[in-house]
Amino acid sequence: MADELKKGLEGVLVAESELSYIDGDEGKLVYRGYTIEDLARGASYEEVLYLLWHGRLPDREELEAFSEEMTTHRELDDDVLDLVADLAAADEDPMAALRTAVSELSAFDPDADADPTDREANLRKGKRITAKIPTIVAAFTRLREGDDPVAPRDDLDHAANFLYMLNDEEPDDVLADVFDQALVLHADHGLNASTFSSMVTSSTLADLHSAITSAVGTLGGSLHGGANANVMRMLQTIDESEKEPVEWVEDALENGERVAGFGHRVYNVKDPRAKILGERSEELGEAAGDTKWYEMSVAIEEYVKEEKGLAPNVDFYSASTYYQMGIPVDIYTPIFAMSRAGGWIAHVLEQYEDNRLIRPRSRYVGEEDQEFVPLDER
């Protein structure tokens, strides 16, 4: 058993966690004992952050103090903002820009020299990182379009403030609520690739900024965080073609192509987050008087389920939800990072509490008994 190869570590148990639980057969996601449905419909992103970091939901007084402190950390140091401007001018990939900016945040963090395992220092760092990522993403997005960054406000919550900084316009209550719910849904999801990456980094006793930088880099891959942008690009391609959605998907499958937004390493049924975002996608379409994207998505979902037995994952409906909110497609993944930062930080805190260096092994399948030949004789 010890020598059994598990490519991609699939099914390998490597840690115990109190943070989130997934039942892939039942389509169930739980954060610290609370179902994702209850949290998405009843808790704000700030409440979920508190829950993940402190192990319980806050009372009103605790939430107000926590949220107020978060707002004080939203602004970027001038040097970080200058870096973001340089990256935007260079037309850097949004996730690469975010990765670089998150790394630089450590240079200006008051707790940069704290012991990596100092929980209280890490909680302070975590608040700063989580509060500043939306500012980085919004500033980068505006700067590359030739617009000035919009300074954060301290009278808006985490979700509404991001939309305000992105569009220079305070969002209405519906948009702010939908976006806050999306952040809650993406906050944590077990040992996904980016979370595991943050744990591997922190297991070496590297600092929190290094761990989150690793996670951002990992999330940027198209097989992980980039999947939601791929879904929207697929929907746009279908819309621009002269084919009906099902016809387009049929042709794609016949040509051996994958349909973005379906299948999951853990879920064998429909992702519970996709159910909730599907409802919000429909709601946004109805409010705008155009349910095209939602209807297209439903048609594809029904066909793929019937023909391939595959259910949609969270990316499938987050794509049309974000698009109907006017969010540029290529910042879907940075928005994912904006939310998942809370979960990454929680897992790093947990890793530090009972740390053991993560060091798996591989099976050697290369050449053996090679005879060394000196350079001059090769």
Side-chain angles (χ1 to χ4, degrees):
M1 182 65 72
D3 289 328
E4 183 182 358
L5 180 63
K6 294 282 191 176
K7 296 281 283 188
L9 296 180
E10 184 169 1
V12 176
L13 189 65
V14 298
E16 292 183 332
S17 176
E18 297 180 356
L19 296 170
S20 60
Y21 166 71
I22 305 164
D23 186 327
D25 294 324
E26 295 294 328
K28 186 176 183 180
L29 173 61
V30 172
Y31 295 170
R32 290 196 182 272
Y34 296 94
T35 68
I36 194 61
E37 290 82 2
D38 285 346
L39 291 173
R41 295 187 170 104
S44 66
Y45 181 67
E46 286 88 336
E47 286 176 84
V48 169
L49 281 181
Y50 195 99
L51 171 67
L52 291 173
W53 295 355
H54 295 282
R56 59 181 177 81
L57 288 168
D59 61 28
R60 187 171 299 280
E61 184 176 335
E62 289 170 329
L63 178 61
E64 288 177 356
F66 181 81
S67 300
E68 183 177 347
E69 185 176 0
M70 288 282 291
T71 65
T72 66
H73 298 309
R74 289 174 174 168
E75 289 192 8
L76 301 177
D77 291 274
D78 289 343
D79 287 343
V80 176
L81 189 57
D82 289 344
L83 172 67
V84 172
D86 290 342
L87 293 167
D91 196 27
E92 177 65 288
D93 175 83
M95 280 300 285
L98 179 60
R99 179 201 66 218
T100 303
V102 168
S103 181
E104 194 186 28
L105 291 178
S106 68
F108 305 95
D109 194 293
D111 289 298
D113 295 329
D115 185 287
T117 64
D118 184 333
R119 179 177 173 83
E120 292 306 313
N122 283 327
L123 283 169
R124 293 191 295 270
K125 288 181 184 179
K127 290 173 186 174
R128 297 182 192 113
I129 292 170
T130 307
K132 293 179 189 299
I133 286 179
T135 313
I136 292 170
V137 175
F140 175 84
T141 305
R142 291 184 62 82
L143 284 163
R144 68 176 181 174
E145 299 298 327
D147 297 322
D148 292 330
V150 175
R153 283 170 45 176
D154 60 9
D155 61 333
L156 296 174
D157 65 21
H158 196 74
N161 179 65
F162 171 74
L163 295 176
Y164 166 71
M165 291 190 296
L166 183 67
N167 299 315
D168 195 16
E169 179 178 288
E170 185 173 341
D172 63 36
D173 291 342
V174 173
L175 289 182
D177 180 63
V178 171
F179 193 66
D180 182 77
Q181 193 173 64
L183 295 181
V184 169
L185 292 172
H186 287 87
D188 195 42
H189 205 247
L191 294 197
N192 54 83
S194 56
T195 296
F196 188 61
S197 176
S198 72
M199 293 169 61
V200 171
T201 301
S202 59
S203 79
T204 70
L205 296 186
D207 67 288
L208 182 63
H209 285 85
S210 296
I212 304 308
T213 302
S214 293
V216 173
T218 305
L219 187 69
S222 63
L223 294 182
H224 190 9
N228 52 10
N230 291 338
V231 171
M232 196 61 229
R233 293 186 182 108
M234 177 187 73
L235 294 176
Q236 289 174 313
T237 298
I238 296 172
D239 186 52
E240 292 166 2
S241 74
E242 297 181 356
K243 300 177 181 179
E244 291 296 317
V246 170
E247 180 187 1
W248 189 94
V249 171
E250 283 179 329
D251 291 344
L253 292 174
E254 286 180 5
N255 293 328
E257 300 174 21
R258 294 185 62 183
V259 179
F262 285 87
H264 196 280
R265 178 68 69 87
V266 180
Y267 292 113
N268 298 316
V269 294
K270 187 170 182 177
D271 187 326
R273 301 167 299 174
K275 294 179 182 179
I276 298 169
L277 285 174
E279 295 169 1
R280 301 318 297 263
S281 177
E282 181 181 23
E283 180 184 339
L284 290 173
E286 290 175 345
D290 182 4
T291 58
K292 173 180 67 177
W293 300 111
Y294 172 73
E295 292 173 1
M296 187 184 300
S297 300
V298 170
I300 295 170
E301 176 187 353
E302 292 176 349
Y303 176 78
V304 173
K305 181 180 180 180
E306 181 178 342
E307 293 297 316
K308 296 294 182 179
L310 294 175
N313 54 44
V314 67
D315 301 308
F316 190 67
Y317 281 105
S318 67
S320 57
T321 300
Y322 290 158
Y323 191 76
Q324 292 177 104
M325 296 176 72
I327 296 173
V329 174
D330 67 349
I331 68 163
Y332 287 6
T333 310
I335 286 173
F336 194 160
M338 200 171 92
S339 169
R340 186 57 59 81
W344 292 334
I345 290 163
H347 281 275
V348 170
L349 291 172
E350 202 172 55
Q351 179 68 34
Y352 284 143
E353 288 175 359
D354 185 25
N355 187 57
R356 181 172 174 79
L357 177 66
I358 297 174
R359 204 295 190 190
R361 63 189 184 92
S362 63
R363 178 185 297 152
Y364 179 69
V365 294
E367 297 286 348
E368 294 185 9
D369 302 322
Q370 293 275 62
E371 181 178 350
F372 178 78
V373 179
L375 179 61
D376 292 340
E377 298 176 21
R378 292 176 210 161

